Amino acid sequence: METEKSNVSKAEEFKLLANEAFNARKFSQAIDLYTQAIELNSQNAVYFSNRAFAHLRLEEYGSAIQDATKAIEIDPKYSKGYYRRGAAHLGLGKFKEALKDFQQVKKMCPNDPDATKKLKECEKAVMKLKFEEAIAAPESERRSIAESIDFRTIDVEPQYSGARIEGDAVTLDFVKKMIEDFKNQKFLHKRYAFQIVLQTREMLQALPSLVDIHVPDGKHFTVCGDVHGQYYDLLNIFELNGLPSEENPYLFNGDFVDRGSFSLEVILTLFAFKCMSPSAIYLARGNHESKSMNKIYGFEGEVRSKLNETFVELFAEVFCCLPLAHVINEKVFVVHGGLFSVDGVKLSDIRSINRFCEPPEEGLMCELLWSDPQPLPGRGPSKRGVGLSFGADVTKRFLQENNLDLVVRSHEVKDEGYEIEHEGKLITVFSAPNYCDQMGNKGAFIRFEAPDLKPNIVTFSAVPHPDVKPMAYANNFLRMFS
């Protein structure tokens, strides 16, 4: 009896420490402390609900759903459990499941104005989704939006003073002028935006799903992780490491857009470099280069606001052309998310994926975009609710079977901008410092020198940007939780 009492009071101490860590934005630390509280007292719904909240902050929606569900099981009348689970479903774009949870919150707290407001927004989102599903043409009848656009017929008004492409070639002078204009929050004319996106589409379409990159001896190659619409931090990377060129090539490893509110500037700059010199820059698809994510996390709203609806459809189409992975000098495997739920996957299997579609919810393509490493061996459920978690043994086997040395992936915020795991065989690199203006993390990129391809990691801090908040264009409903 005494031990039980002592455990309960110790658990409360851990909870208070966890709350402090949470308020200091140390979400991983908060999760560890809530876990210790739960180990001492597993019948307290608040601990699970609070841990769910910390998982939400780290975008670990799968773990948040598990914890919130546990809180509800312990105390079916605990409205915060439903509230947190609804928010997690929303983060995964599962509006219908979110709606059920918010209906429950409203039932429990009929006079809570916040619950009423969120329920209304959720109902709106579900209605919109149903309408879009109803009017969507069947897959077989869908026409390519790109093929209906002729940018040459678009006139450029005489008063337009921004960057101009003369003829068909995107030059370095044009790219530099465009970067300067974007820096000063000026827009690029639609004609040139169409030209860049259409030319990039043509180039990407011709590539395989797995691209081989050759770096000659004595030359270097830079890999960057998620940029997430943080345009001024992207320019800082170029400041630190030089502009992309044939002599200074880059691979941007997915998640160019969403969350940060300068996603359009990021994607047009990366695409313009690709048009200028295809071997100066390589681009991989991330889980955020997809319609479902762009609808929620801001890119769709931003494109609609800065350009128009046609561009929303065009970007969705071009994102489906992005390769899924790269191999540098037959030694370094670079992918946005991670590895697979089955052993024996060969590079030839990745090469033969038909990637020209929205990412499915399971299978190799989904796992390449969504999976994460875990410290334990074997495989486990995904903390995100999509893909899976894989251990060092899975990484080692994949590398051995494909005669590779290293996996480089992105997809996760890291305090130092990078993390080396799985006995040095896996590196996570993340290039959006002070992510969403609130995480306080550094950014990083990796420079590889041929022939030894030893990873040289460079870290950097966030730079100031104009006063436009992250998620400024995100789905209304999601902004309520940010």
Side-chain angles (χ1 to χ4, degrees):
M1 198 64 186
E2 279 305 309
T3 316
E4 208 170 292
K5 262 189 191 164
S6 138
N7 282 354
V8 167
S9 69
K10 263 193 203 149
E12 272 302 294
E13 284 170 29
F14 278 121
K15 184 195 86 171
L16 294 174
L17 290 171
N19 290 353
E20 279 174 29
F22 184 96
N23 292 331
R25 300 194 180 283
K26 294 177 177 168
F27 303 119
S28 296
Q29 195 184 331
I31 288 168
D32 291 342
L33 289 162
Y34 288 130
T35 303
Q36 289 181 66
I38 287 165
E39 281 164 1
L40 290 163
N41 177 10
S42 61
Q43 290 309 301
N44 189 319
V46 175
Y47 300 166
F48 284 99
S49 174
N50 285 8
R51 191 169 72 175
F53 198 13
H55 281 303
L56 278 171
R57 284 286 182 250
L58 291 175
E59 299 171 28
E60 295 170 351
Y61 301 120
S63 297
I65 288 167
Q66 280 180 335
D67 275 352
T69 302
K70 185 69 183 163
I72 292 162
E73 281 168 15
I74 293 167
D75 182 359
K77 293 191 170 64
Y78 187 52
S79 64
K80 267 190 184 168
Y82 291 99
Y83 188 94
R84 304 266 192 259
R85 192 170 70 181
H89 280 311
L90 180 72
L92 288 169
K94 298 189 170 175
F95 290 108
K96 290 168 189 170
E97 287 89 337
L99 181 61
K100 286 179 198 158
D101 282 326
F102 287 111
Q103 283 168 337
Q104 197 63 37
V105 175
K106 177 78 171 111
K107 203 185 286 180
M108 291 173 162
C109 316
N111 303 319
D112 180 343
D114 186 53
T116 306
K117 192 173 159 192
K118 286 192 167 68
L119 179 61
K120 273 198 181 129
E121 279 295 333
C122 202
E123 285 168 342
K124 251 197 287 189
V126 171
M127 286 297 288
K128 189 168 176 243
L129 204 64
K130 282 183 177 164
F131 176 70
E132 283 169 359
E133 282 168 5
I135 62 165
E139 199 67 51
S140 56
E141 290 170 29
R142 272 182 214 161
R143 307 256 301 280
S144 160
I145 189 84
E147 281 155 25
S148 68
I149 299 161
D150 181 0
F151 66 85
R152 289 178 180 83
T153 62
I154 301 169
D155 292 327
V156 180
E157 303 75 14
Q159 65 270 31
Y160 172 71
S161 62
R164 290 169 182 262
I165 302 171
E166 304 301 336
D168 285 343
V170 173
T171 62
L172 181 58
D173 285 345
F174 163 79
V175 180
K176 283 179 172 174
K177 167 78 171 126
M178 182 183 76
I179 285 174
E180 211 44 48
D181 287 349
F182 283 162
K183 217 173 172 172
N184 298 316
Q185 293 185 273
K186 293 179 184 167
F187 291 149
L188 179 68
H189 196 281
K190 285 187 183 70
R191 176 193 167 108
Y192 306 124
F194 272 129
Q195 186 170 346
I196 288 166
V197 181
L198 290 167
Q199 279 185 20
T200 305
R201 172 182 174 267
E202 209 170 302
M203 263 181 266
L204 296 174
Q205 261 186 324
L207 295 172
S209 292
L210 173 73
V211 175
D212 286 291
I213 296 168
H214 176 63
V215 185
D217 287 1
K219 301 290 184 186
H220 64 266
F221 188 86
T222 303
V223 178
C224 296
D226 306 32
V227 181
H228 274 302
Q230 295 186 195
Y231 186 64
Y232 295 82
D233 294 308
L234 172 68
L235 296 189
N236 187 37
I237 292 172
F238 294 151
E239 199 68 36
L240 296 168
N241 195 56
L243 291 174
S245 68
E246 284 181 21
E247 289 300 301
N248 188 35
Y250 283 81
L251 163 56
F252 281 86
N253 196 27
D255 282 13
F256 323 119
V257 302
D258 278 341
R259 295 199 175 272
S261 296
F262 303 96
S263 291
L264 183 65
E265 288 80 356
V266 166
I267 198 72
L268 286 175
T269 299
L270 296 178
F271 279 7
F273 275 118
K274 186 76 183 162
C275 294
M276 179 194 89
S277 172
S279 59
I281 196 163
Y282 295 83
L283 302 167
R285 193 173 194 174
N287 62 308
H288 276 267
E289 278 70 52
S290 69
K291 267 189 207 170
S292 59
M293 293 289 110
N294 297 162
K295 210 178 271 303
I296 308 170
Y297 290 98
F299 184 57
E300 191 178 291
E302 185 181 338
V303 171
R304 203 174 272 125
S305 164
K306 293 177 181 176
L307 289 166
N308 58 32
E309 190 63 45
T310 307
F311 274 98
V312 171
E313 287 183 59
L314 180 60
F315 276 114
E317 203 170 285
V318 178
F319 287 166
C320 291
C321 301
L322 286 161
L324 303 175
H326 293 76
V327 173
I328 306 170
N329 287 8
E330 301 180 1
K331 289 295 166 204
V332 181
F333 180 72
V334 190
V335 65
H336 179 72
L339 300 180
F340 312 102
S341 53
V342 291
D343 285 334
V345 175
K346 294 283 194 282
L347 296 182
S348 54
D349 298 322
I350 300 167
R351 226 171 250 118
S352 63
I353 295 171
N354 177 11
R355 70 182 188 278
F356 299 98
C357 60
E358 287 302 313
E361 290 202 6
E362 55 187 23
L364 296 189
M365 180 170 167
C366 166
E367 290 161 5
L368 285 162
L369 300 181
W370 280 94
S371 294
D372 293 290
Q374 64 179 24
L376 297 171
R379 295 176 170 93
S382 164
K383 55 194 174 186
R384 296 173 191 269
V386 188
L388 69 140
S389 298
F390 59 96
D393 53 331
V394 176
T395 299
K396 192 176 170 185
R397 267 198 307 276
F398 173 76
L399 291 172
Q400 279 172 347
E401 287 169 359
N402 289 286
N403 196 24
L404 297 161
D405 293 342
L406 180 69
V407 173
V408 173
R409 43 89 61 182
S410 305
H411 196 39
E412 278 183 287
V413 190
K414 296 293 175 186
D415 286 345
E416 291 304 311
Y418 74 97
E419 188 175 357
I420 301 171
E421 295 168 86
H422 292 184
E423 295 156 25
K425 293 293 183 190
L426 182 140
I427 304 177
T428 297
V429 60
F430 191 83
S431 305
N434 195 23
Y435 180 46
C436 288
D437 284 3
Q438 63 172 13
M439 296 299 279
N441 60 294
K442 284 182 179 160
F445 54 82
I446 308 176
R447 268 175 76 109
F448 290 97
E449 303 274 341
D452 66 351
L453 294 190
K454 194 171 138 307
N456 175 23
I457 300 169
V458 179
T459 65
F460 56 95
S461 298
V463 294
H465 63 75
D467 188 22
V468 183
K469 298 281 178 276
M471 308 284 277
Y473 302 93
N475 182 293
N476 267 346
F477 191 30
L478 195 76
R479 277 211 305 275
M480 293 179 178
F481 293 90
S482 295

